[in-house]
Each structure stands twice: as structure tokens, then as C-alpha cells.
Amino acid sequence: MITGAGTQGATGTAEGGAPAPPPTEIERELYAAARHGSGTGGAGAHPVPDAVLDVLARTRLYLLVPRLHADTPGYAPPLPANPDPATGRTCVPVLTPGMLPPWHPEWVFRQVPLGELARVWPDNTWRLAVNPGTPYAMSLEARPKHRKAWAEAYERNGRTHRAGLLLTHGGGHLHGPLAHGLALGAQLAVHNSLVWNQLGAAYEDYATDIDRLRNPWHVNNRADYRRTLEALLETRMIGTLQEFALRTRHGMVRQLGRAPSEEEWTSAVTTTLRHRGTDAEDLAEAVGSLRCVLRFEARLRADGALAPDGRVDSLKAFDYGRAVNVVRLALGARYITPPEAEEAVLRIDERARRAYGSWADFSLGYAMTRLIYFTQDAVAEAARGEGGSGAPGPLDPRSETKYQESLAQHRILTQDPAGPYRNIPWS
């Protein structure tokens, strides 16, 4: 049974008693599914519709956990049990991503999939309370037959990563310098289907935020975070050879008044690198990278993402975008405070504005670096002169997958009318 969908008091409601706009698309989906399934018989009159369970199964659900418990090795705290403010019944309260409260140093959040709840549920008389005490609250029965339906919904919807969603929090940063800075990290937020415009209680969840800082960033504490942030601000983590090649071409365009041919570009890069004493392996990597850039640019032009005379002139966007996400991870891991996170995002934003002239340029710079970074086979192939550099030909399967992911993220961010790149001026 489902009760209380969207019926919690006046707090958070709009004029006339209707709920205020849901904070994210997830709460909107959940509210719509609950309303559609509630019929006309009143709250609790019908079984939980599959649509509600499907939304819950593919949604990150969060449990509030004392940080002390979360940091205790080997300790698995029991599910919290509280009186449901809507029904008075004992419930396990969970929150959806848009409903998390503000950041607190000693309270953190743990993700708990619907399938896990079905497996570890301790008491047949308890209920599952989703967003209790809010306009988007619902209370679900949790007897064995109900938990079986939860598990089935999770098998249908929750076992694969739901990627590629642009999630904007209506109460988050939407305008101004801080929103601009957070939007620099929107590619990774879209890739992982996380809210892009918040510095809040969690990025993904407490344990995951800590793990993602450890691997691949080797960040285990505040000092490590500061070193990593400075390296990203100085764009020391992108390929120096690749950035040198792109900056060489940019200078040639200004000098020649046109884009250089592949042969002219290759000659300019290799001549300078040889003069600097670069070894043969790095020379081959530089040549492979520039050929790879030409190949990906051709694909982007063919797909309408890059103008016929457009180019990618810098890869710095990748470090700036990742820096924003490192800040958000560090905030989620409680290595820094919200004011420190805001200051760091504004520093990143200042650097990015100097390096790029538009959201499209920034987004393509990010995408190109991601493609080079994750398609080393394509770079090596290009270094050997295989595959054709200037034609939008087929890629190997892994490179093609990364290309399509990157293209989709670029299109979502540059074309969605509700997205940050359409609503926050670059300048």
C-alpha cells in the first residue's frame, strides 16, 4: 500500500495547496507516478503502482548516518527506525537526491538501493517512508510480498547505472559566478546522473565520495586534497604534449590566417620538440595525438557538434571540470567546509573563463581531452599512421563508445533549454 503521496501539510506547497515545484526531475517523476497510481479512493486505497517502484528502483535513496558510525571500521549500523509523521507507524526514512538537507560536519548519507532494502529489511510491521515530512512524502508497506515487488522492480530497473541525466536542483545555484563554476563540472555530473548545481550534504554518498578521492586521485586527507586541487588549477594533469600540439596549431592559425594542413602542423610540432631534445617515444605520442584530434574533430563536424571551420584549441577544460568535481567530493568526504568549497569553485571558474570564450568551446575541450585520455589505442593507431586522421571514419568499439558518450553529454549541456549552458552566460 502507498499513503501520503504529496499530502504533507502546507510546508513547501504553492498557492492553492498544490506542492511547490519538485526540486529535481527525480522527485517530479516520483510524485507523478504516485499521483497516477493513487486513483480516487484516497491515500492507501490501492497497491503501490509499478511506476512508483520503478522510479524508486532506479533512484539513489539515502539514509542519514552519524559520521562516527560511518567512520568506524567494520561497523554496519542498523536501519534507522522512526515514527512516520504522516502515519505514526514505525518507518525507515529514506530521502531522494533532491531532498537532502544542508551539509553538516557530523551527519552524512549512505546510499541504499531498493534491492538492498528488500534483502535486509528487519521487521514486517515497519514501513518504508520516502521523503517523510515533505510535500513528496510516501509511506510503503514492507511485508514479504511487498519486498518481493521491490526486489523485482530493482531487477528491472536498478541493476544498471542510470547515466546521462541532467539533474538541476531548483533550490541550488542557478545564476551568478558560483553557478557558473559548478557548471564547469556538469559533464561528470551528467555522466553519473548527479545534481550539477549544489555544494551540499553529499556528491554521491559519503563512502563513495571518499573512495573516489582515493582512486584515482590518491586523496586521503585535507592536505592531499589541497595538492591535487592546485595541480588541477595549474592544469598539470592533462597531457603536456597534447596541449603543446594544440597551442602550436592555434599560433599557426594566427600567423597563417588559416588552419595549417596536417603536414604543416606535424612538421611544426616535431621540429620544435626535436629542438627541445624530446625522445622518439614522446615524438610519436605527440604526432599520434594530433592525428587523433583531427580524426575526432572530423567526427564532431560530421555530427554537427563542431563548426566546419571550428577547432579545439585547448584541453585545459578537462582539468578545470575535474577540479570542480574533486571539490565536491572533498566536501562530501568532509575534508573541507562549504565556504572553502565555494572559494575553490570560484578560483576554478576564474581560470576557466580566461582559457575559453564560450560554453561550447569549453565543452568541446573537455570532450576532446576525455577522448584522447580514454582512447589510447586510437592514439597509438594514429601514431602509426593507421585509420586515417582527417576523415570521420569508424573507430574501434571502445573509442566509439567513449565518443558517443562524450557527444551525448556535449549535446545535453549545450542544447537542453533548461541546462546551465543555455541559461548562464559564459561572460
Side-chain angles (χ1 to χ4, degrees):
M1 307 289 286
I2 181 170
T3 64
T7 61
Q8 301 306 307
T11 301
T13 60
E15 185 177 354
T24 77
E25 178 67 13
I26 290 170
E27 289 76 32
R28 189 201 67 76
E29 283 186 18
L30 191 58
Y31 180 77
R35 293 276 292 185
H36 179 73
S38 62
T40 58
H46 295 275
V48 179
D50 286 345
V52 169
L53 294 183
D54 287 344
V55 174
L56 290 175
R58 61 178 180 256
T59 296
R60 292 179 172 92
L61 303 176
Y62 290 93
L63 293 170
L64 180 65
V65 180
R67 184 179 172 191
L68 177 64
H69 291 177
D71 287 340
T72 302
Y75 177 65
L79 293 175
N82 302 313
D84 186 341
T87 65
R89 298 273 297 276
T90 300
C91 71
V92 173
V94 297
L95 299 174
T96 53
M99 304 305 295
L100 298 185
W103 185 94
H104 189 283
E106 300 304 332
W107 289 93
V108 297
F109 287 89
R110 177 173 81 86
Q111 283 190 68
V112 54
L114 189 64
E116 179 182 338
L117 288 172
R119 187 176 66 253
V120 305
W121 198 264
D123 190 307
N124 289 337
T125 65
W126 293 2
R127 289 176 177 244
L128 177 65
V130 181
N131 298 327
T134 77
Y136 313 103
M138 57 181 63
S139 177
L140 282 68
E141 293 274 15
R143 299 185 186 278
K145 65 177 181 181
H146 303 114
R147 301 201 302 273
K148 180 182 177 183
W150 300 0
E152 291 170 350
Y154 185 72
E155 288 294 324
R156 288 195 305 270
N157 298 276
R159 298 192 66 85
T160 56
H161 174 58
R162 191 185 186 192
L165 293 182
L166 174 61
L167 294 180
T168 300
H169 195 295
H173 301 282
L174 297 171
H175 305 287
L178 196 54
H180 194 288
L182 288 170
L184 300 173
Q187 278 91 350
L188 266 174
V190 168
H191 179 69
N192 293 302
S193 296
L194 298 167
V195 171
W196 69 266
N197 64 326
Q198 273 194 312
L199 290 171
Y203 183 36
E204 187 161 349
D205 79 341
Y206 181 63
T208 306
D209 293 349
I210 290 173
D211 286 344
R212 290 198 175 189
L213 285 171
R214 286 175 180 162
N215 183 23
W217 295 109
H218 307 292
V219 170
N220 296 287
N221 51 50
R222 180 182 176 89
D224 291 343
Y225 155 76
R226 291 176 66 87
R227 284 193 293 271
T228 300
L229 178 63
E230 292 304 317
L232 288 165
L233 278 167
E234 296 172 12
T235 62
R236 296 203 305 263
M237 295 193 178
I238 59 172
T240 55
L241 291 170
Q242 291 84 352
E243 181 71 4
F244 167 74
L246 288 179
R247 302 312 296 171
T248 297
R249 182 177 63 172
H250 181 68
M252 295 178 73
V253 169
R254 297 178 64 178
Q255 182 180 16
L256 299 173
R258 59 172 175 82
S261 67
E262 179 181 336
E263 292 74 18
E264 290 172 325
W265 186 17
T266 301
S267 176
V269 168
T270 55
T271 298
T272 303
L273 290 178
R274 285 194 183 101
H275 181 72
R276 294 178 178 178
T278 304
D279 61 32
E281 183 177 353
D282 283 349
L283 277 172
E285 181 181 348
V287 171
S289 295
L290 74 83
R291 289 175 177 168
C292 208
V293 165
L294 290 171
R295 192 175 186 188
F296 283 126
E297 285 179 338
R299 284 292 302 271
L300 290 167
R301 291 189 190 97
D303 287 325
L306 187 63
D309 59 347
R311 299 176 310 277
V312 175
D313 287 333
S314 175
L315 306 178
K316 292 182 179 181
F318 197 56
D319 273 5
Y320 295 142
R322 294 190 298 171
V324 171
N325 287 276
V326 165
V327 171
R328 296 186 66 189
L329 289 168
L331 183 64
R334 302 317 190 254
Y335 293 160
I336 58 174
T337 63
E340 290 173 317
E342 291 184 9
E343 180 185 11
V345 170
L346 292 175
R347 288 181 65 201
I348 299 163
D349 187 54
E350 182 182 3
R351 302 284 182 98
R353 287 179 192 253
R354 291 203 301 262
Y356 291 91
S358 70
W359 283 117
D361 288 347
F362 175 87
S363 182
L364 289 169
Y366 184 98
M368 182 63 73
T369 322
R370 184 174 186 268
L371 290 170
I372 294 173
Y373 187 82
F374 288 111
T375 58
Q376 292 302 310
D377 290 345
V379 174
E381 180 184 84
R384 296 191 299 267
E386 302 169 3
S389 57
L395 302 167
D396 65 88
R398 185 170 184 270
S399 299
E400 185 66 31
T401 297
K402 292 298 180 183
Y403 173 79
Q404 293 299 335
E405 285 178 355
S406 299
L407 179 63
Q409 291 165 21
H410 173 75
R411 284 175 167 166
I412 288 168
L413 288 165
T414 57
Q415 297 179 11
D416 191 318
Y421 293 2
R422 298 288 296 274
N423 291 280
I424 303 173
W426 177 261
S427 58

